[in-house]
Amino acid sequence: MKISKRTIVLGAAAFALSAPFIRRAKASTPISFRLDWAVYGSHAPFYLALEEKMYEKAGLDVSIGEGQGSATVAKIVGQGNDPIGFIDFTSAIRAIEQGIPLVAIGRVISNAMCVISHADAPIRAPKELEGKVVAYAPAESTGQMLPALLQRSNVDAGKINVLNPATGAKNAVFLQGRADAIPANVNVQVAQLEDQGAKLHYFLFNDFGVEMMNNGLVANANWVQQNRDAAKSFVRTSLDAFRASKENPDKAVDLLIKRLPQQARNRSVLRRQLELTFPTLDTRNTKGKPPGFMAEQDWRETQDLLLKYGSLPKAVQLNKLYTNELLEV
């Protein structure tokens, strides 16, 4: 039998009509994701998810942009320019109190604040800060929360000499020996100072009763209402990436560098920052809960600290700050 070109075309058409299981690929949801700051090690899991196509497999077309501080990113996400951001939850609370349409959708880092001192003159407890020089910029969240640490430990703040260098300059002041200690984030400054050859001692704020959440995922509240499935997929995939990064931190850092080759010179710092991130992934109120889960008590304690020490004008209803509904609880 001779098969004509017309027969082939008609046959193909008939097959297409009789095969409902062949579906056109669904378009991926685009998500422009904004980090809190210039890249540091805690960001590596997001790049692992990008390079391993985890977001793509979840039906998302994700791009990642660096930020210029949590307060700025909160406004950007609130305006809808980037629907999701990774910011400090204290900035999220401030933004929501101001009427910016944000909602926290997944907790990542908590209790990361610390006090760093020189290993050859270690400061092991808040009380030992009396008579010492401490450096921080007035706008820094760690500096704003330092009074909470001092008060909880009955420290006489008047006996501490405070230096207020420009934002970003406290590391240099510390390395120059002009400061005995600095308040910092354990997942950021410790590795930076060690890379400069400093021998360090540090303790965490929560070792002395000051517990608060730090960075997590926040989204534009209006966008979440219209893109619930995409938001849920982004949260799940990002948290999965943190688990994968904990299992293989070297791979996570290498994939970050693959995407951002200019970061190769910072590999050891990024690796150390990521390592110091992992102990911050739980709070005492979330142990045994799924990754990303947010406890009401943690939100209450974090906001109470802002009200008392961080100049937050008034409290926000806790149920307006966050939702666990996008998590696989």
Side-chain angles (χ1 to χ4, degrees), residues 89-105:
F89 278 173
T90 60
S91 295
I93 293 172
R94 292 181 193 279
I96 294 168
E97 188 275 330
Q98 294 167 8
I100 295 174
L102 286 184
V103 61
I105 56 177

Side-chain angles (χ1 to χ4, degrees), residues 130-185:
E130 293 181 357
K132 301 296 194 300
V133 177
V134 180
Y136 57 87
E140 291 180 21
S141 58
T142 54
Q144 291 177 1
M145 289 301 110
L146 185 62
L149 178 70
L150 302 180
Q151 188 174 102
R152 296 279 174 91
S153 299
N154 297 314
V155 177
D156 185 347
K159 294 181 179 179
I160 298 174
N161 299 306
V162 177
L163 287 180
N164 289 141
T167 301
K170 70 181 179 185
N171 281 13
V173 171
F174 181 83
L175 290 168
Q176 292 162 6
R178 295 165 52 200
D180 300 302
I182 58 172
N185 287 303

Side-chain angles (χ1 to χ4, degrees), residues 27-29 53-62 229-230 232-238 240:
S28 296
T29 302
K53 300 189 183 303
M54 293 171 65
Y55 290 128
E56 184 178 319
K57 292 172 184 175
L60 307 174
D61 180 13
V62 175
D229 289 344
K232 188 172 184 177
S233 294
F234 184 89
V235 173
R236 183 189 67 246
T237 302
S238 297
D240 285 346

Side-chain angles (χ1 to χ4, degrees), residues 37-70:
W37 200 251
V39 164
Y40 56 91
S42 302
H43 299 147
F46 300 119
Y47 287 95
L48 178 143
L50 199 63
E51 289 296 317
E52 291 282 271
K53 300 189 183 303
M54 293 171 65
Y55 290 128
E56 184 178 319
K57 292 172 184 175
L60 307 174
D61 180 13
V62 175
S63 60
I64 302 177
E66 295 181 77
Q68 294 181 317
S70 289

